[in-house]
Amino acid sequence: MANGFWLSDAQWKAIEPHLPKNQPGARRVDDRRVLSGIIHVLQSGCRWRDCPPEYGPHATLYNRWNRWSRRAVWRRLFEALREVSADAFHSIDSTTAKAHRSAAGGKGGRKAQAIGRSHGGRTTKIHAVCDALGRPIAIEVTPGQRGDVRAAAELLAQLPPSRRCAADTAYDSNALRQFLHERGTLPVIPNNPTRKRFHAFDRTAYKRRNLIERAFYRLKDWHRVATRYDKLARNFHATVVLAAMAVIESGT
């Protein structure tokens, strides 16, 4: 299959030890083939029923995808593969994904499923932190109108403190600055022009904030990250973390 995706030997070697064992239900078939098919759908943006037959029945792919999302397997796999340490530099930001009409109708309504209304229409916001190599190491999704700074502390709290943390003016709040200082992290955040008291700002270190921008470019190469088709927030989050795992495995 010329345009398909297949996990390489190196990728499978990294992933296979972290897959769940002794799960209830029928015996799983060819994990490598099924995971390759799931990634093909998420990268290409095709419908599950249009997935090439080389990956097996499309119902098997979707059921595995949805079941492991419900059991938080994808999240745990991402956490196992990422390299989290007391890094010298973190960068935090967000990007939005437009919600396709097929994303409507999730249980509990738009708010419960992280779909909101912003200037771009119905959107979901992807919040992420990347390390000094531009690899995503923490990810959450919220409704599209959610302010960046409201998600920042909870996202950063998942990680060991870094020496510096870069963010744009959307994160310029006294509460976040205090949170970072209490963790021993120097905020690299430009001052909002409306501030009455300006803080010191390292312009040279701030230039490295483009690491998170480049990480988002790579994540959005996956069609089901750039556009949200999933009704459930947990499934869309799983899509993003699988794309992030690909960025981690690429090493760039």
Side-chain angles (χ1 to χ4, degrees), residues 221-237:
D221 283 340
W222 288 43
H223 288 255
R224 281 180 173 260
V225 174
T227 301
R228 174 178 170 174
Y229 295 94
D230 299 295
K231 291 182 185 295
L232 303 180
R234 61 170 169 80
N235 282 0
F236 183 63
H237 181 272

Side-chain angles (χ1 to χ4, degrees), residues 20-47:
K21 306 291 192 299
N22 302 319
Q23 292 286 295
R27 182 177 179 274
R28 298 204 308 262
V29 297
D30 198 344
D31 283 337
R32 186 171 180 175
R33 172 173 57 81
V34 171
L35 265 63
S36 295
I38 289 171
I39 292 172
H40 172 81
V41 171
L42 303 182
Q43 280 188 333
S44 68
C46 71
R47 298 183 302 175

Side-chain angles (χ1 to χ4, degrees), residues 31 61 66 86 102 116 146 155 163 175 179-180 199 219 226 243 247 250:
D31 283 337
L61 303 182
N66 184 53
S102 64
R146 180 72 57 85
L155 196 61
R163 286 208 295 257
F179 170 80
L180 291 172
H199 297 271
L219 291 176
V247 173
S250 73

Side-chain angles (χ1 to χ4, degrees), residues 39-76:
I39 292 172
H40 172 81
V41 171
L42 303 182
Q43 280 188 333
S44 68
C46 71
R47 298 183 302 175
W48 291 97
R49 69 179 63 184
D50 294 332
C51 190
E54 288 84 350
Y55 296 117
H58 71 268
T60 299
L61 303 182
Y62 176 77
N63 289 339
R64 176 79 61 84
W65 161 248
N66 184 53
R67 187 182 306 116
W68 282 13
S69 169
R70 185 174 65 249
R71 295 174 180 171
V73 172
W74 304 117
R75 180 188 287 269
R76 292 196 298 271

Side-chain angles (χ1 to χ4, degrees), residues 101-203:
R101 61 183 175 81
S102 64
K107 186 176 181 179
R110 289 188 293 113
K111 185 176 180 181
Q113 298 303 336
I115 297 177
R117 287 200 174 273
S118 61
H119 294 301
R122 296 188 312 120
T123 57
T124 294
K125 184 171 282 189
I126 303 167
H127 304 266
V129 179
C130 74
D131 64 13
L133 296 178
R135 300 174 300 189
I137 52 176
I139 291 169
E140 293 297 342
V141 298
T142 67
Q145 78 278 9
R146 180 72 57 85
D148 290 352
V149 73
R150 291 176 60 188
E154 183 177 346
L155 196 61
L156 290 165
Q158 301 177 24
L159 306 168
S162 60
R163 286 208 295 257
R164 288 183 174 85
C165 181
D168 62 23
T169 52
Y171 295 86
D172 182 22
S173 80
N174 291 332
L176 180 60
R177 288 179 182 274
Q178 181 179 350
F179 170 80
L180 291 172
H181 282 303
E182 289 174 352
R183 284 164 56 90
T185 299
L186 177 67
V188 182
I189 304 173
N191 293 279
N192 191 304
T194 61
R195 268 195 171 277
K196 294 182 178 180
R197 185 172 67 87
F198 279 42
H199 297 271
F201 172 56
D202 188 337
R203 293 182 180 275

